[in-house]
Amino acid sequence: MRVIGLMLVVAIASFGSVASAEKVKTNQEAKLFNHPGEQGAVLLHLKEGETMTLVGEEGRWLKVRVHGRTGFIPRSKVDMPDTAEIARNTRRRPFVDGRGTKRGFDTSAGPDDRVGADALGETSTKDADDAKKPSKGDDDDDDDTAKKPVKKVVAKKPAPKGDDDDDDDDTAKKPAKKPVVAKKRPSKGDDDDDDDDTAKKPAAKPAKKVVATKSSAKKSGDDDDDDDDDDAKGGKKSAKAAAKKTSGDDDDDAAPKADKRPSGHVEAKSKIFEERSAKSSVAFVAKPGDKLYIDSTKGDWTTVENDDGDTGWILSSDLLVDSTETAGPAHSTIIDANARAGVSFIQQTMKTTGSSLSGTDQVPDAYSINASAATIAIGADLLYPMSKKLYLGGEATYAGSKTVGGGIVYNMIDTGFTIHDINIRALAAYDLQRPSGMMLIGHLGLRYRAYLVNGYGSVATNPAKIPQETLEAPTIGAALAMPNLGANYGLQFGLDMILFGSSISQTKGYEDGATPSMKDVEANARFVYRLSPSFDFLATYDLDLGFYNFGAPPADSMRGHTGMDVTRNDLVHQVTVGVVKGF
């Protein structure tokens, strides 16, 4: 009969293990690994809200079963139930057919849902000796089971573990301290709600069996709040474990605290992709408050890593850089090249103070030119991070415009021209650490512009005697860049000026004045739209306004000015579109 009792205990424990299986859900997209640690093979990619069966726990990893696969997932990506109390499937009839539902020394009725050792006890027709000294799961009449059960129960001191039994019958008896047995067995999956079986000593052996199972559960990392560690002795350990879990102070989380890499965070829940494309697979999902360690930036994307070791790419516009003194630059070296094509609209107005010419034809003392030109432009810029916020670099641009459909028309003759405009600038950029990636850029540079007239030396092709002209001048300016103003677009506004030091030379013999000088103001705007992680669409608009003062015309000039002071204003509208390649 001992064998039968042992088999029943094993059956109850086995049933409990199935009943205690908990259902948990993912709180974000996650990977299911074949063993604990991100180095394991990925079995499945799980979506947010997927239901899984909790099998066990190992440190910060949970062992779960989902979609027929069993693997491991970080605890941080799983929503644990608010309470770990295990549902019980209470039986409402005697566990063994033919056994009585009465207990004690009298014939008073017991509950209808007696299970376990209580259900295995004999009915009231058994002799008093069996009623006083029931066997450990053995229903025979011998006396060997009546030995030493009390000593074992006293040694276990189950009373502090708290009896939640509402029955008062067992409180009058010494074995009433045994309610812990009823507590332990349900915690391992016992589906019995009745505590009657805890009032009798035969439950000692099942209790011993359950204790052993509890030990195994502890080794597997089970921190269930309603298991046996809630008793007087284990409660302290459970409280410490809970505090440790709440504070996140464990061996796996300690390393990131000493991480010296620059870090950032997101303002809203954001997807981190496995590749530099929003169409690629999601590596993990970052939530506000998650620390993201910054590795490098390439184009519009930045690669980051979380405390769990997951890595992926995020749009730089979605990443806020943490301002810590130990953090290095938020981005790596920025290198861009662009190519554009478009059109320029050119207006040129000449005026001469004290001119003696009058009437409709006052060339060269007074005239106005309107021309359009096809434009191509290329450029490249480099910014190298010197610190967390400061970048130094340079920029070079070229724009070439050639008149089409009409240039300078005089005496029914159309004279075309070409403009070559080159700018070389030294840049200093300050990162304002905004979500838009806002940077304030200052620059100093040199501008060279060549104004070339077709057939300038021939009266037949250039009857207005328009001279060729070159300009060299230092420039100073500033720009405000917001490359991540939106999810897929950015803007930049700039101002470039020539305030002093200009040098102007014109074709010998065709000079407009003996002491030429000029001041210039150029305003520009750029719109960038992301086509791919490496290529952007670029649209630019430049407004260039130049003020020239040539002074008094030289006596040997063939231009024929008759006044005392010659001035000219040039206004150029230039619109181009193209692509930007990031390196």
Side-chain angles (χ1 to χ4, degrees), residues 255-262 293 326:
K257 293 181 180 179
D259 205 312
K260 300 299 183 182
R261 290 176 295 174
Y293 298 97
T326 57

Side-chain angles (χ1 to χ4, degrees), residues 284-302:
F284 64 96
V285 176
K287 297 180 294 185
D290 290 351
K291 183 178 288 291
L292 301 174
Y293 298 97
I294 299 171
D295 185 8
S296 62
T297 296
K298 191 171 184 180
D300 300 321
W301 296 82
T302 299

Side-chain angles (χ1 to χ4, degrees), residues 4-44:
I4 295 176
L6 182 58
M7 292 176 63
L8 288 174
V9 171
V10 173
I12 292 172
S14 299
F15 179 82
S17 65
V18 174
S20 64
E22 296 181 57
K23 298 296 183 180
V24 295
K25 290 185 178 181
T26 54
N27 54 30
Q28 57 184 281
E29 293 183 346
K31 297 176 183 177
L32 185 70
F33 296 92
N34 65 342
H35 62 73
E38 285 79 5
Q39 303 303 321
V42 178
L43 301 178
L44 293 173

Side-chain angles (χ1 to χ4, degrees), residues 272-275 283-284 302-306 310-314:
I272 312 299
F273 300 96
E274 292 185 349
E275 299 177 6
F284 64 96
T302 299
T303 179
V304 296
E305 179 179 346
N306 64 9
D310 298 322
T311 61
W313 293 91
I314 183 175

Side-chain angles (χ1 to χ4, degrees), residues 152-167:
K152 289 189 177 180
V153 172
V154 173
K156 291 297 289 184
K157 295 183 181 179
K161 298 184 178 179
D163 185 13
D164 57 359
D165 189 7
D166 295 329
D167 190 348

Side-chain angles (χ1 to χ4, degrees), residues 350-561:
M350 181 74 78
K351 293 181 180 181
T352 304
T353 301
S355 173
S356 61
L357 298 177
S358 62
T360 58
D361 187 4
Q362 299 184 43
V363 178
D365 285 351
Y367 63 84
S368 180
I369 296 172
N370 290 285
S372 58
T375 302
I376 59 171
I378 57 174
D381 58 84
L382 164 69
L383 283 175
Y384 183 81
M386 303 300 295
S387 67
K388 181 176 60 179
K389 295 183 179 181
L390 180 63
Y391 295 76
L392 297 179
E395 178 185 46
T397 63
Y398 165 80
S401 302
K402 183 177 181 59
T403 56
V404 291
I408 303 170
V409 180
Y410 181 70
N411 287 342
M412 304 295 291
I413 297 176
D414 184 355
T415 302
F417 59 88
T418 302
I419 298 177
H420 299 285
D421 203 338
I422 300 173
N423 278 282
I424 299 175
R425 303 182 179 98
L427 305 178
Y430 183 79
D431 191 345
L432 298 177
Q433 304 288 299
R434 302 292 179 83
S436 62
M438 184 180 294
M439 301 181 76
L440 184 62
I441 305 171
H443 55 79
L444 293 172
L446 178 66
R447 184 173 186 179
Y448 172 85
R449 184 165 66 185
Y451 185 87
L452 307 179
V453 179
N454 297 341
Y456 68 96
S458 171
V459 176
T461 57
N462 183 21
K465 300 178 182 179
I466 304 296
Q468 297 198 115
E469 182 179 289
T470 59
L471 165 70
E472 295 179 4
T475 63
I476 184 172
L480 181 65
M482 296 172 285
N484 304 313
L485 184 61
N488 296 307
Y489 65 89
L491 289 175
Q492 177 175 316
F493 302 97
L495 189 66
D496 201 24
M497 297 177 290
I498 298 176
L499 301 177
F500 54 85
S502 61
S503 175
I504 300 172
S505 63
Q506 293 180 310
T507 303
K508 185 67 175 176
Y510 283 6
E511 296 95 338
D512 285 308
T515 58
S517 65
M518 69 93 69
K519 288 182 173 57
D520 184 89
V521 176
E522 179 186 1
N524 56 73
R526 292 185 176 189
F527 172 78
V528 178
Y529 184 84
R530 297 179 185 85
L531 300 175
S532 71
S534 299
F535 284 94
D536 297 337
F537 167 79
L538 174 64
T540 69
Y541 170 71
D542 292 88
L543 175 63
D544 192 354
L545 181 59
F547 303 93
Y548 294 78
N549 191 333
F550 295 95
D556 58 350
S557 175
M558 293 185 292
R559 283 283 280 160
H561 289 290

Side-chain angles (χ1 to χ4, degrees), residues 194-218:
D194 186 27
D195 297 327
D196 296 342
D197 52 347
T198 66
K200 299 186 178 183
K201 300 174 185 176
K205 184 171 286 292
K208 186 175 181 180
K209 202 70 177 181
V210 174
V211 171
T213 306
K214 171 187 170 186
S215 175
S216 300
K218 286 184 177 179

